[in-house]
Amino acid sequence: MSAQHTRCTGSLKIWTVAIPPRRSIVLRNPRTHAGARHVSPYGRTPIFVVQATAAKPPARIGIVGGGPAGLTLANALLSLESGAEEVKVYEQYEELKPAIGGGFNINGGAVILERLGMGDDVRSIANPMRRVISRTTAGGELFDIDIESTIPSALRGRDGASACYTVMRSELQRVLEQRLPQGVLQLANKVVDVHESASGVRLEFATGEYSPEFDLVVGCDGINSAVRREVTGEAVTQPVYSGIRIFFAVASAGTYPKPPGEFQQWFGDGVYCLVYTAGSGPDQKDLMAVCVHQDVKADENADWQQGADDKAQCMAILKQKGFPAAAVAMAEASERLFDIGVYYHDTIPTWSSEGRVVLLGDSAHAMPPFMGQGANQAIQDAYCLATNLGKVGSEFD
């Protein structure tokens, strides 16, 4: 038996195949691997037409979640050669809420945002990290790190300076949202379900309405992701309590006496405390994170609500465990303080369905928020996904 490729017509490849008498072959589409069996009763050389439509990047992409992950992905899809022609971001809240949450350390994520042309935007809202000092609650020094001399080239910006900053979450969201064209961000659209079909995928909202059809939906909707259910199917995994409870305190810049670029942290008996400054200009704040080991499940507090006695509990723990008086005073002086139970997701075999749905950030791999790695990895996820979608049809089927 022999085969000769004779010509291509659009998306159709025409092959001439010689089949021995009364023998059969299976012709397979090289991309879908679908095949059909053909029998030659007389030994003639028939002509077979095999459809082989080339794969191409998804043009219509719906993103669920307007946090740093979803907004970074939208920017990446629209600024890189991703193949995306229409992008929508659906956020459940009526606004990108200011004064929600706190700040975090951005490093690998900062490098990615610089690649997306937002380096100056990030620096305008960021506080550079300069030094990290670690002590015991008794005052003994554990280590003292000079950030600028430690950071490798991979975590440096185009100007050669270390790309290690602290930012306020709300300010980063604002910067990311402002770079998007009008109409990309769709507020007050809480997604409750995902409906996937052969032609595309639609989102169902809490109102009972549906989105337009998309070629791809990306779940950036956090640890309690509605999109995750579509990927995991019956094996829905619930968030797992980590045994860690965190008090996040936000105070006016200068509340804690230290240089702005300096991180100070203390390790105590079952308790850890970190004090740092995040943001820039009038939005700069002093922040404190008090991590407490606690076997009894703490409430996740996903909406960042302030409890009536949260501040008093935080101060009592700091005093009991012997933390510096300045740390106790900062908790007392805080403008807002949140009590958060830390949860994570166990790993799952895949972050995508077999069709048109994929997970990104905390919806895929929620983790305790140490060193801001939840946000940094979500931003890196977004860049990697947008970059690789642009290679569909060339490097990927």
Side-chain angles (χ1 to χ4, degrees):
M1 182 180 66
S2 63
Q4 182 180 0
H5 180 207
T6 58
R7 68 184 186 277
C8 293
T9 305
S11 62
L12 299 181
K13 289 185 178 180
I14 300 178
W15 296 76
T16 302
V17 184
I19 309 175
R22 304 189 185 281
R23 298 290 298 277
S24 67
I25 64 169
V26 176
L27 295 180
R28 294 191 178 275
N29 184 316
R31 292 199 180 275
T32 67
H33 302 291
R37 184 169 295 278
H38 300 266
V39 179
S40 172
Y42 307 112
R44 295 196 299 265
T45 304
I47 298 295
F48 294 97
V49 178
V50 182
Q51 186 171 354
T53 303
K56 59 182 181 180
R60 304 165 301 167
I61 301 178
I63 300 169
V64 182
L71 295 175
T72 300
L73 177 60
N75 276 284
L77 290 170
L78 293 172
S79 62
L80 300 175
E81 295 182 359
S82 68
E85 298 172 6
E86 178 187 351
V87 176
K88 296 292 183 184
V89 180
Y90 295 99
E91 167 57 39
Q92 64 175 324
Y93 294 113
E94 295 180 357
E95 60 176 336
L96 294 182
K97 293 186 176 182
I100 288 294
F104 53 82
N105 168 12
I106 183 170
N107 37 66
V111 173
I112 293 300
L113 294 177
E114 177 138 14
R115 291 183 187 177
L116 295 176
M118 289 185 275
D120 290 339
D121 295 328
V122 171
R123 283 185 283 274
S124 72
I125 62 166
N127 179 47
M129 291 179 61
R130 302 300 186 198
R131 185 184 185 192
V132 179
I133 303 176
S134 297
R135 302 183 179 96
T136 66
T137 52
E141 185 175 299
L142 299 172
F143 56 82
D144 185 343
I145 299 175
D146 176 70
I147 298 295
E148 188 63 36
S149 64
T150 304
I151 294 302
S153 58
L155 286 179
R156 294 187 181 274
R158 292 173 181 171
D159 60 357
S162 65
C164 291
Y165 312 108
T166 52
V167 296
M168 297 301 293
R169 185 181 190 275
S170 57
E171 284 300 290
L172 180 62
Q173 280 187 283
R174 179 182 60 80
V175 162
L176 293 170
E177 189 271 334
Q178 287 179 347
R179 294 289 296 246
L180 294 175
Q182 188 72 25
V184 171
L185 179 62
Q186 301 287 304
L187 297 169
N189 282 279
K190 183 177 181 179
V191 174
V192 296
D193 208 351
V194 181
H195 300 276
E196 192 172 358
S197 67
S199 62
V201 54
R202 293 180 185 272
L203 301 171
E204 181 180 350
F205 303 113
T207 59
E209 298 177 305
Y210 290 81
S211 72
E213 191 172 71
F214 294 105
D215 301 316
L216 178 71
V217 160
V218 186
C220 302
D221 48 341
I223 192 169
N224 294 307
S225 169
V227 180
R228 185 180 172 95
R229 294 194 297 270
E230 179 68 16
V231 172
T232 58
E234 295 181 0
V236 177
T237 56
Q238 297 299 321
V240 179
Y241 177 56
S242 67
I244 301 170
R245 174 187 182 190
I246 300 182
F247 293 96
F248 281 110
V250 181
S252 299
T255 299
Y256 189 89
K258 65 169 188 60
E262 187 172 283
F263 275 49
Q264 293 190 13
Q265 56 186 2
W266 298 267
F267 293 85
D269 181 16
V271 181
Y272 161 83
C273 178
L274 169 68
V275 175
Y276 62 104
T277 302
S280 179
D283 298 304
Q284 190 172 72
K285 300 290 182 181
D286 279 354
L287 304 176
M288 180 167 65
V290 180
C291 302
V292 182
H293 172 73
Q294 178 177 299
D295 290 327
V296 178
K297 278 188 179 181
D299 183 71
E300 182 187 353
N301 194 8
D303 292 327
W304 292 81
Q305 299 297 316
Q306 298 185 69
D309 64 342
D310 289 349
K311 184 178 290 189
Q313 288 188 53
C314 180
M315 292 172 60
I317 290 171
L318 290 171
K319 290 177 181 178
Q320 179 188 358
K321 297 296 184 178
F323 283 84
V328 179
M330 179 174 165
E332 185 174 21
S334 61
E335 301 169 358
R336 56 187 189 268
L337 191 147
F338 309 95
D339 182 5
I340 306 292
V342 178
Y343 289 72
Y344 65 91
H345 272 307
D346 286 325
T347 56
I348 51 179
T350 178
W351 293 346
S352 63
S353 69
E354 293 184 357
R356 303 173 181 267
V357 181
V358 65
L359 303 176
L360 187 153
D362 278 355
S363 65
H365 47 67
M367 64 189 78
F370 299 137
M371 296 302 292
Q373 286 312 300
N376 280 281
Q377 292 199 29
I379 291 170
Q380 292 174 82
D381 284 357
Y383 182 82
C384 289
L385 179 60
T387 301
N388 284 296
L389 285 177
K391 298 176 183 177
V392 173
S394 55
E395 295 185 30
F396 305 121
D397 290 339

